[in-house]
Amino acid sequence: MEFSSKLIEKAVSEMSQLPGIGKRTALRLVLHLLKQPKEQTGFLSQALLNMREDIKFCGSCHNISDTEICEICANPVRNHETICIVEDIRDVMAIENTGQFKGIYHVLGGKISPIEGVGPNQLNISSLVAKVKSGNVTEIIFALSSTMEGDTTNFYIYKQIADSKIIISTIARGISVGDELEYADEITLGRSILHRVPFEKTFKNN
């Protein structure tokens, strides 16, 4: 792709680093920005800078937040004894959109994946185990995607907390095997939360 401007070329190159954005789409976006008033581009640039510099991670659940403790964890109406374990913020958003879950979350920040070099120590697992052992939790819900990595992560965490006197459940498999949670429709995901099953059944029957 030939460019008549090094500035445009650089902007396209940076824009195309975003997931799902190829060079042609990046060029279209850059040219669109070029047609907008300068202040509009300034607003976008400032919003991105503010996000990058000021974003925080909740000290309790590791969710992305504007404050030290996220709005969900700080909400006294939520059931703080029920914790839903998810991979990242996209899954929190997906479940929240169903309106079916009233507990709180714990964001792992990924899944165990030896192929990608991601081990248990690189995820937010130890803080979850500490929460369970504190005695303030009555149920843990596994809501990771039904992939090999997701199942491996579920089982690893289960082994860490299996001796605790709490309910350990997983979302019902209304979500197809191999599907990522964030792409599930709200009705299916909501039903999967409501009709969750004891985690032990997912591997004892195999």
Side-chain angles (χ1 to χ4, degrees):
M1 186 177 290
E2 296 293 329
F3 296 91
S4 59
S5 165
K6 293 295 182 183
L7 296 174
I8 293 290
E9 183 177 4
K10 177 63 175 175
V12 169
S13 176
E14 293 299 324
M15 189 78 76
S16 64
Q17 301 303 310
L18 297 172
I21 304 295
K23 284 289 181 68
R24 292 185 182 280
T25 300
L27 177 59
R28 187 163 62 250
L29 293 172
V30 167
L31 293 179
H32 171 76
L33 289 173
L34 195 59
K35 293 177 181 178
Q36 304 305 305
K38 286 185 178 181
E39 58 267 25
Q40 189 65 43
T41 304
F43 294 150
L44 173 60
S45 300
Q46 193 59 52
L48 293 173
L49 285 173
N50 290 344
M51 176 195 69
R52 199 66 188 89
E53 293 175 0
D54 299 334
I55 203 75
K56 296 177 176 62
F57 290 92
C58 177
S60 178
C61 72
H62 307 287
N63 191 13
I64 291 175
S65 175
D66 292 340
T67 54
E68 296 299 330
I69 300 297
C70 73
E71 292 182 356
I72 295 175
C73 288
N75 188 344
V77 177
R78 307 288 295 222
N79 177 5
H80 288 247
E81 295 182 350
T82 301
I83 300 178
C84 184
I85 303 173
V86 297
E87 180 181 350
D88 61 30
I89 184 177
R90 294 171 296 183
D91 300 329
V92 173
M93 295 171 66
I95 295 174
E96 282 297 285
N97 285 338
T98 70
Q100 299 296 327
F101 181 65
K102 304 304 179 185
I104 58 175
Y105 298 89
H106 187 89
V107 181
L108 294 177
K111 293 174 289 191
I112 295 174
S113 177
I115 294 178
E116 297 180 4
V118 179
N121 293 334
Q122 294 168 274
L123 304 177
N124 300 317
I125 294 177
S126 60
S127 57
L128 172 66
V129 174
K131 286 180 187 177
V132 173
K133 292 185 176 180
S134 72
N136 297 321
V137 179
T138 59
E139 182 179 6
I140 288 292
I141 305 170
F142 290 119
L144 301 184
S145 55
S146 52
T147 60
M148 182 178 294
E149 293 80 8
D151 289 343
T152 298
T153 307
N154 285 342
F155 189 71
Y156 177 86
I157 296 173
Y158 170 78
K159 296 297 287 184
Q160 303 297 307
I161 62 175
D163 59 347
S164 303
K165 303 299 183 182
I166 64 172
I167 299 170
I168 303 175
S169 60
T170 184
I171 58 175
R173 295 295 184 168
I175 310 300
S176 300
V177 174
D179 280 358
E180 296 292 342
L181 208 66
E182 63 177 300
Y183 299 122
D185 66 89
E186 295 174 8
I187 294 176
T188 300
L189 183 54
R191 287 175 177 169
S192 294
I193 289 288
L194 289 176
H195 302 297
R196 54 188 181 271
V197 297
F199 179 67
E200 294 91 336
K201 288 186 176 181
T202 65
F203 61 86
K204 286 183 178 179
N205 293 333
N206 291 338

